[in-house]
Amino acid sequence: MSDALNPETPEELVETEEEPIKQRKNGLYPGVSDELAENMKSGWADTELYDLRPVPQAGETAARRAALSARFPGERLVVPAGNLKTRSNDTEYAFRASVEYAYLTGNQTEDGVLVLEPTAEGHEATIYLLPRSNRENGEFWLDGQGELWVGRRHSLTEAEKLYGIPASDVRELADALREGTGPVRVVRGYDAGIEAALADKVTAERDEELRVFLSEARLVKDAFEVGELQKAVDSTVRGFEDVVKVLDKAEATSERYIEGTFFLRARVEGNDIGYGSICAAGPHATTLHWVRNDGAVRSGELLLLDAGVETHTYYTADITRTLPINGRFDELQKKIYDAVYEAQEAGIAAVRPGGKFRDFHDASQRVLAEKLVEWGLVEGPVERVVELGLQRRWTLHGTGHMLGMDVHDCAAARRESYADGTLEPGMCLTVEPGLYFQADDLTVPEEYRGIGVRIEDDILVTEDGNRNLSAALPRRSDEVEEWMAALKG
């Protein structure tokens, strides 16, 4: 990375109407000569893009905004994308726009804000963005976020073509919001400046109603979203295949080799990983969210790989497979794995329109409770075990969650709409039972300790049942062994 990421020009030399362009304290250039400043203003080709087409989801985002408008008539609605977050000193984390903003616009750039202004007919939407970098005042090459440092951004005219929404300069928005009158709601937690401008106009209760509505709006996926989820799953399947092919290299190094291998597929075919990859070998598989990924990978042990590719439109897969590192389950590993597979089969069978969301969880947990009683690890009868939740010592977590632009999608939805709700066609969820025998669990035989198994698939509710989006990855123990052998061979 260049040492000159931030500008090195004295603050008094180059100023904008908003604020001076800051200099790096230990920059190597003392300033900019008048001749150089003048030279940098001219001699640049016209780079405006004139043949842009709308983003593929433009029709869907318009329909989503219409539904939002109908829910909150007569109110100004403000949905920010968020700002860059500092990682260290003058470097930032990769930006990911707020889900609410991306869902309603298709845009993913930092500092963006969608505003729905109430009208007699509903609302008029405007997307507020940073325009192209200013070349007259040197911003484009002197400011740390200028286009010569971080890349070209779309002009406001280009943005209007892409997203089908009138676009304006976001730097003028805060003042306009301060001066505005009438009821207003904002999605909180993403843009402190926008929230400050509305501080005396909003209430936490009203803003929470907006957040809840936008979360529940994503419970049922439209056709575009289903297509994106399938893309994410298909790339993830290829990522799992990549990992199996390099398990020998992971044995020679660590879990990090697995993490890096999957990440390569995510970056080549998508935007990123949808969440921190869990590359848990051996006893690390009993830690539900093991993301340190710095442990040893040993032949004869199991690898629990929980990972998902995120598409360029932010939809993520969430798949888990538990794999024998040497390609073959031993007798005890197979017994535990097959029990989890049987539980997952029962759970998937319970996913259907009109059924309760929690049905798949209850079905899976009952199977696991039966197995634990059968193995003598907990005293029956099974009804007692399930009623008291005694199986949870080894099953630990819920059996699934909604999936979409967030890996745990729709999290702000009301309980009656989600966990206690009814399944509808277009909902997408995970089914992921597991058994985890901690290395220090003295209540189980020694040979069980340190074994963790989870199997997770992404299930779409259809009109007549369900579809396993991740069915291309083998699940049955014998099929897993055959699949691994073919990839290694």
Side-chain angles (χ1 to χ4, degrees), residues 112-128:
V113 183
L114 172 69
V115 177
L116 270 61
E117 193 71 25
T119 66
E121 293 76 29
H123 285 84
E124 182 178 283
T126 302
I127 188 170
Y128 288 85

Side-chain angles (χ1 to χ4, degrees), residues 329-345:
F329 293 101
D330 67 28
E331 184 177 350
L332 180 59
Q333 291 169 349
K334 185 177 186 301
K335 181 177 83 166
I336 296 170
Y337 184 96
D338 288 348
V340 175
Y341 171 78
E342 187 177 330
Q344 194 201 28
E345 283 283 273

Side-chain angles (χ1 to χ4, degrees), residues 275 316-319 344 347-348 351 357 360-361 398-404 407-408 418 428-433 455-460:
Y275 53 95
T316 185
D318 182 7
I319 301 174
Q344 194 201 28
I348 292 174
V351 176
F357 174 83
F360 72 92
H361 169 74
T399 313
H401 52 81
M402 292 295 182
L403 184 67
V407 65
H408 297 146
Y418 187 162
C428 188
L429 53 95
T430 66
V431 178
E432 50 175 312
I455 311 172
E456 177 181 21
D457 284 87
D458 301 342
I459 309 298
L460 176 70

Side-chain angles (χ1 to χ4, degrees), residues 72-239:
F72 298 103
E75 302 183 56
R76 182 179 297 110
L77 307 174
V78 182
V79 185
N83 316 123
L84 291 172
K85 290 182 173 61
T86 299
R87 180 181 185 273
S88 176
N89 188 26
D90 56 357
T91 62
E92 293 85 21
Y93 287 102
F95 180 74
R96 189 182 192 273
S98 75
V99 164
E100 294 88 348
Y101 175 85
Y103 178 75
L104 293 168
T105 66
N107 178 256
Q108 299 176 5
T109 54
E110 64 269 18
D111 302 324
V113 183
L114 172 69
V115 177
L116 270 61
E117 193 71 25
T119 66
E121 293 76 29
H123 285 84
E124 182 178 283
T126 302
I127 188 170
Y128 288 85
L129 302 165
L130 285 173
R132 296 289 306 280
S133 290
N134 190 322
R135 295 191 180 233
E136 279 300 306
N137 71 355
E139 173 198 352
F140 81 106
W141 72 287
L142 294 171
D143 187 270
Q145 294 301 317
E147 292 184 4
L148 288 194
W149 292 107
V150 299
R152 183 188 188 276
R153 52 184 176 251
H154 287 295
S155 69
L156 298 181
T157 301
E158 292 170 351
E160 291 183 357
K161 294 177 182 177
L162 286 169
Y163 307 111
I165 312 171
S168 292
D169 190 337
V170 71
R171 294 172 296 187
E172 303 168 357
L173 178 59
D175 287 341
L177 291 176
R178 287 188 191 95
E179 296 169 3
T181 59
V184 58
R185 300 178 192 247
V186 63
V187 177
R188 300 191 182 199
Y190 299 114
D191 193 318
I194 293 299
E195 289 180 37
L198 294 169
D200 61 343
K201 305 177 189 300
V202 296
T203 68
E205 182 179 3
R206 286 163 51 79
D207 291 347
E208 179 64 9
E209 288 175 353
L210 173 59
R211 187 171 79 105
V212 168
F213 174 81
L214 289 173
S215 192
E216 293 186 3
R218 303 199 309 275
L219 283 169
V220 175
K221 271 60 181 177
D222 57 39
F224 174 83
E225 293 179 289
V226 172
E228 289 300 293
L229 284 166
Q230 188 65 67
K231 285 182 190 176
V233 166
D234 292 345
S235 289
T236 300
V237 168
R238 290 187 283 273

